[in-house]
Amino acid sequence: MAGEITETGELYSPYVGLVYMFNLIVGTGALTMPKAFATAGWLVSLVLLIFLGFMSFVTTTFVVEAMGAANAQLRWKRMETRQEEEDDDSSSASDSDVLAQDSYERAEKRPILSVQRRGSNLFEITDRVELGQMASMFFNKVGVNLFYFCIIVYLYGDLAIYAAAVPFSLMQVTCSALGNDSCGVESDTKYNDTDPCWGPLRRMDAYRIYLAVFTLLLGPFTFFDVQKTKYLQILTSLMRWIAFAIMIVLALVRIAHGRGEGRPPLADLSGVRNLLGVCVYSFMCQHSLPSLLTPVSSKHHLTRLVFLDYVLILAFYGLLSFTAIFCFRGDSLLDMYTLNFARCDVVGLAAVRFFLGLFPVFTISTNFPIIAVTLRNNWKTLFHREGGTYPWVVDRVVFPTITLLPPVLVAFCTHDLESLVGITGAYAGTGIQYIIPAFLVYLCRKDTQLAFGYGTVNKHRSPFRHTFWVGFVLLWAFSCFFFVTANIVLSETKL
């Protein structure tokens, strides 16, 4: 995300890429979706989920098209560099005036002739050009700064969600296990932060102790470089799918046995604000598409595979959320859905209860240092000047500190995960998922026409190639901003 061209890495088949993309999109946001569904009503939630899935697919195809255009420009620059080197080698035997005239004619004719000769191979996606590098290629200086600002705000939101989710899960599980309720949160039990956890400690005290331990254990990784290993990725993915499968099966079994407690409303517009942010957050993948799709070995049917991925993700989100809202009462659904399975009447086996309750702790804890290092590197890139270096204190102390402190302070003040996910998705998420891809594809199309001539076809162009779609995406993005902001202001006014 630091805005550099990175190595493509080991190639993999399109279907492996499909699985990787599925794993990337389906993450923490999915665990907050059931409560958002319950508060907004099942019909409104279903319609909005499908529409936002479609909009995310549209902007994903925009990013893929921009990747093709960026690769074409880089490939063209390499071709021109090689041509200039060949011209320099032969220039000693040429008359200077004739050479100047030949160079002028070649510069005029080469783009159209070369593109015609090479066809659409110029747009083949072989170099992994990250979103930051594409922004620097197609945006002006103000646009690049706004891009990094948006990415940084989103990553701060991500870290705040992670920093709150782990202590919240630990508080829920341990306060139930060590307190009077050894079986977890019963269906009619409503806990407040001021309720006792164990001994003289309140639940909020326990939450903040866990937050301090979490920060002390994982915070130091922000000061170093961390990479996610392949085996760690496999382990966390395996745990995630085991947990999701268990939750869906258990909810279906309860519903089939007539023990479903949920009676969700058809529509409740007061819950749409959070649902909007949660759904946007849950479809977030645009910032990671270059590293995800560039290593795919065959990209002939890339758009179809991406579309299939979105259909599968929609089906999964629908299955998870609908089984949840019909299995549990809306007011008993917790921000982190896994915690609803800490009840003895839902899960009889203690090991399964603890696995589901602590599942977010394991998976989120492995992601937190990676997201923190990514955010730190984006701060460095934003303030970097050509040829300049940072003093050791700034590089090793200041940047890691400004990366770590804000999300921890937010998590210290609140553990309302649904609101954190909703606000992060509705603001920074909207910028990354809608605004940046829309401007990227619009500007890369203009650059492609100027560089290679009108009529040049990008083989990875989006099916939504009409300018109307760019305008529609931007209109929707700004509508989301205004709706969420107005909703927050009205809610605060009522309070």
Side-chain angles (χ1 to χ4, degrees):
M1 198 73 68
E4 297 179 353
I5 303 170
T6 53
E7 293 192 16
T8 304
E10 185 180 347
L11 297 179
Y12 42 72
S13 74
Y15 294 102
V16 172
L18 183 144
V19 173
Y20 283 167
M21 187 172 179
F22 194 101
N23 281 338
L24 172 73
I25 295 177
V26 179
T28 314
L31 297 178
T32 62
M33 193 174 285
K35 185 176 180 181
F37 258 62
T39 53
W42 69 267
L43 183 59
V44 169
S45 299
L46 179 62
V47 171
L48 195 60
L49 180 70
I50 294 172
F51 177 72
L52 290 175
F54 169 73
M55 293 298 288
S56 180
F57 170 69
V58 171
T59 56
T60 294
T61 64
F62 285 174
V63 175
V64 172
E65 181 176 341
M67 288 164 59
N71 271 262
Q73 289 210 12
L74 292 171
R75 190 170 287 111
W76 183 253
K77 287 177 182 176
R78 286 196 292 264
M79 288 164 54
E80 285 193 322
T81 301
R82 283 199 298 268
Q83 186 65 47
E84 287 171 3
E85 289 174 354
E86 291 174 5
D87 291 346
D88 289 341
D89 291 340
S90 60
S91 62
S92 57
S94 302
D95 180 79
S96 59
D97 293 335
V98 174
L99 179 62
Q101 180 65 24
D102 287 347
S103 298
Y104 174 77
E105 291 177 356
R106 199 163 45 244
E108 290 290 313
K109 295 178 181 178
R110 192 188 304 156
I112 295 175
L113 292 175
S114 297
V115 171
Q116 287 175 347
R117 184 171 64 250
R118 293 177 180 272
S120 60
N121 289 336
L122 198 66
F123 295 89
E124 192 66 54
I125 300 173
T126 54
D127 289 327
R128 191 168 81 186
V129 188
E130 298 291 356
L131 221 57
Q133 177 68 10
M134 284 192 276
S136 64
M137 290 172 71
F138 300 121
F139 292 170
N140 58 23
K141 184 64 177 175
V142 174
V144 172
N145 287 338
L146 288 175
F147 163 81
Y148 278 107
F149 174 77
C150 192
I151 288 286
I152 285 169
V153 172
Y154 174 75
L155 292 175
Y156 268 133
D158 241 2
L159 290 178
I161 292 163
Y162 288 2
V166 170
F168 181 71
S169 296
L170 287 169
M171 175 196 72
Q172 290 285 82
V173 172
T174 57
C175 286
S176 297
L178 300 177
N180 296 327
D181 180 13
S182 61
C183 260
V185 182
E186 295 301 328
S187 58
D188 295 322
T189 305
K190 296 292 288 185
Y191 288 116
N192 294 316
D193 290 340
T194 55
D195 290 339
C197 178
W198 65 84
L201 285 177
R202 301 172 303 163
R203 292 172 67 85
M204 180 53 82
D205 296 331
Y207 167 79
R208 287 173 175 167
I209 290 171
Y210 284 130
L211 175 61
V213 173
F214 175 82
T215 306
L216 289 173
L217 289 177
L218 296 180
F221 287 103
T222 312
F223 295 80
F224 307 101
D225 289 321
V226 181
Q227 288 187 334
K228 192 169 187 177
T229 65
K230 181 173 72 172
Y231 299 109
L232 191 58
Q233 185 176 357
I234 291 171
L235 177 63
T236 55
S237 296
L238 185 63
M239 289 180 63
R240 178 164 67 241
W241 290 113
I242 291 173
F244 280 133
I246 290 173
M247 289 187 290
I248 290 172
V249 170
L250 288 174
L252 285 172
V253 168
R254 280 180 63 82
I255 294 169
H257 289 169
R259 290 187 290 159
E261 304 165 353
R263 301 293 184 270
L266 200 67
D268 185 352
L269 296 182
S270 64
V272 171
R273 183 195 82 192
N274 272 342
L275 176 68
L276 182 67
V278 167
C279 288
V280 170
Y281 186 82
S282 299
F283 281 112
M284 186 64 66
C285 67
Q286 284 74 9
H287 57 305
S288 298
L289 286 174
S291 58
L292 199 67
L293 297 181
T294 304
V296 173
S297 57
S298 175
K299 302 179 180 71
H300 295 302
H301 304 294
L302 196 59
T303 303
R304 294 180 190 174
L305 283 173
V306 170
F307 177 74
L308 176 60
D309 231 335
Y310 271 92
V311 170
L312 292 174
I313 290 163
L314 271 174
F316 171 77
Y317 282 162
L319 182 62
L320 180 72
S321 299
F322 273 88
T323 53
I325 63 177
F326 284 99
C327 180
F328 300 101
R329 285 204 328 267
D331 59 352
S332 69
L333 276 168
L334 297 169
D335 287 348
M336 193 65 67
Y337 180 49
T338 49
L339 296 172
N340 282 92
F341 293 87
R343 290 164 40 182
C344 279
D345 63 325
V346 178
V347 182
L349 196 61
V352 177
R353 286 201 306 273
F354 276 100
F355 171 73
L356 291 176
L358 297 175
F359 155 70
V361 176
F362 303 128
T363 55
I364 290 174
S365 296
T366 59
N367 286 332
F368 185 89
I370 300 158
I371 301 294
V373 169
T374 303
L375 174 56
R376 183 200 68 193
N377 291 340
N378 274 281
W379 272 121
K380 290 182 180 180
T381 305
L382 180 62
F383 289 106
H384 181 67
R385 296 295 175 264
E386 194 67 34
T389 57
Y390 294 115
W392 184 89
V393 174
V394 175
D395 186 50
R396 291 295 180 181
V397 179
V398 175
F399 281 124
T401 302
I402 65 172
T403 296
L404 189 61
L405 276 183
V408 171
L409 289 175
V410 170
F412 183 84
C413 296
T414 180
H415 55 65
D416 186 352
L417 293 173
E418 188 184 15
S419 293
L420 286 174
V421 172
I423 292 171
T424 301
Y427 286 106
T430 298
I432 295 171
Q433 192 166 149
Y434 301 138
I435 297 175
I436 290 172
F439 277 114
L440 263 182
V441 79
Y442 177 74
L443 294 172
C444 86
R445 286 170 182 172
K446 290 181 67 176
D447 277 19
T448 299
Q449 289 176 350
L450 288 172
F452 307 121
Y454 289 89
T456 305
V457 177
N458 183 340
K459 66 184 293 184
H460 294 291
R461 66 180 179 176
S462 168
F464 310 96
R465 60 183 65 96
H466 198 281
T467 310
F468 161 80
W469 288 105
V470 175
F472 181 68
V473 168
L474 290 174
L475 179 64
W476 169 248
F478 290 119
S479 300
C480 290
F481 278 126
F482 290 130
F483 173 78
V484 172
T485 304
N487 199 282
I488 291 173
V489 171
L490 291 173
S491 299
E492 292 298 321
T493 304
K494 288 178 183 178
L495 291 175

